[in-house]
Amino acid sequence: MYDDTWLVVPLFNEAQVIADVITEARRTFPKIVCVDDGSGDDSAARARAAGAVVVQHPINLGQGAALQTGFSYALQDPAMQYVVTFDSDGQHQVSDAEAMVERLRQKDVDVVFGSRFLDARTKPGLLKRLVLRVATGMSNLFTRTRLTDAHNGLRALNRTALTSIQIRQNRMAHASEIVAQVAKSKLRYTEVPVHVLYTEYSRAKGQSIWNSVNILTELLYR
C-alpha cells in the first residue's frame, strides 16, 4: 500500500468509466483526490462512491487548474511524500504509476515523467505521434530540457517538487509549464516508459487526437 502517495485525478464528464478507474487504482493507492472540473454528468458522485475524495470546481476551468487544485489538496496531508497525476478515462496503468513512485523512492530524482515513446507498447496513430513529437520538440526548445514525451499526463512528483510548482496555465499548455518549472527550479528528473492504452471509449470521445492538437495550438499562442 502507498499511504504516503496521492493520486491526483482531473475529472470532467467521465461518468461512464470513472468508478472502474478509481476502484482499480485504490487497490494500490488508497489516497485519491478527484478534481471534478465542472462536469455536467454524475462523474463526481460516482468517483466519491468508488472511494475517492472529490473536490469540485463550480465551472470548467481546464486540466491545469484541476491539477493545481489537486496538488494544493495533497499538500495539506503531512504524510504525503509523493503525488501521481493520473487520467480519469482509463488510459493510464496503475502498474506504471506504482513503478514511478518506486523510482522516486530511490531519492536521486524529484520528478518522473512517463513516456509513450521509450518502448513500443503504446500505439498512437501516425498523426497523433507527429503532433506530439512536434509539441515535445517545441517544449524542449523553450525549456531547455530533453524529454521524449513532454505532454504525457502520467507523471510522479515528490513533495519537494510539488512545493516548487505552481500551475497557472489552466488548459493543455500546463504540461509544458510543469516542465519549464522543473527546469527553472533545477529539480532532478527522469523519464520512464509507460503504456497509454487508447481505448474505444477514449477514441470515441476524440481524445486520441484533439488533445494533441490543443496542446500544439496553446504552445503556439501562449
Side-chain angles (χ1 to χ4, degrees):
M1 297 291 282
Y2 288 80
D3 292 327
D4 59 353
T5 303
W6 278 89
L7 257 58
V8 173
V9 182
L11 178 60
F12 181 67
N13 290 343
E14 301 286 4
Q16 184 174 331
V17 297
I18 189 59
D20 289 341
V21 170
I22 298 302
T23 299
E24 174 65 22
R26 289 193 73 242
R27 294 191 178 107
T28 303
F29 297 100
K31 295 180 177 180
I32 301 177
V33 55
C34 284
V35 181
D36 181 57
D37 193 33
S39 292
D41 60 14
D42 62 346
S43 292
R46 295 192 181 195
R48 190 177 291 113
V53 174
V54 177
V55 179
Q56 291 182 270
H57 291 167
I59 60 172
N60 179 253
L61 297 175
Q63 192 175 87
L67 286 176
Q68 185 57 53
T69 296
F71 290 174
S72 298
Y73 184 91
L75 281 167
Q76 295 179 56
D77 178 5
M80 183 275 293
Q81 295 300 315
Y82 310 105
V83 157
V84 178
T85 63
F86 198 84
D87 283 358
S88 58
D89 59 5
Q91 294 188 152
H92 290 163
Q93 312 304 307
V94 176
S95 58
D96 286 335
E98 185 176 5
M100 294 167 83
V101 173
E102 291 304 318
R103 182 66 182 83
L104 287 177
R105 291 194 197 280
Q106 296 179 29
K107 305 295 185 183
D108 60 332
V109 295
D110 303 299
V111 182
V112 178
F113 293 101
S115 174
R116 288 161 280 197
F117 304 120
L118 289 176
D119 65 21
R121 289 178 295 166
T122 301
K123 307 294 183 184
L126 180 60
L127 180 57
K128 181 178 179 69
R129 181 183 292 271
L130 176 62
V131 171
L132 286 171
R133 291 292 197 185
V134 171
T136 295
M138 293 174 62
S139 178
N140 286 343
L141 179 65
F142 294 151
T143 63
R144 298 185 179 181
T145 54
R146 298 184 68 178
L147 296 172
T148 64
D149 191 4
H151 299 90
N152 192 324
L154 184 57
R155 58 181 80 80
L157 308 89
N158 65 16
R159 192 177 190 98
T160 297
L162 208 64
T163 57
S164 302
I165 290 172
Q166 182 73 33
I167 301 173
R168 295 181 176 84
Q169 294 285 340
N170 283 352
R171 297 196 178 273
M172 299 311 296
H174 73 272
S176 290
E177 184 182 25
I178 290 172
V179 174
Q181 291 190 30
V182 166
K184 183 178 181 180
S185 300
K186 300 188 184 309
L187 295 168
R188 302 163 300 168
Y189 68 90
T190 192
E191 280 187 298
V192 298
V194 299
H195 180 200
V196 176
L197 180 62
Y198 298 115
T199 62
E200 290 185 11
Y201 170 78
S202 66
R203 292 183 188 278
K205 293 187 68 175
Q207 294 177 8
S208 62
I209 184 61
W210 284 113
N211 278 355
S212 305
V213 174
N214 289 337
I215 288 167
L216 189 55
T217 300
E218 292 198 17
L219 281 171
L220 289 169
Y221 292 99
R222 57 184 296 189

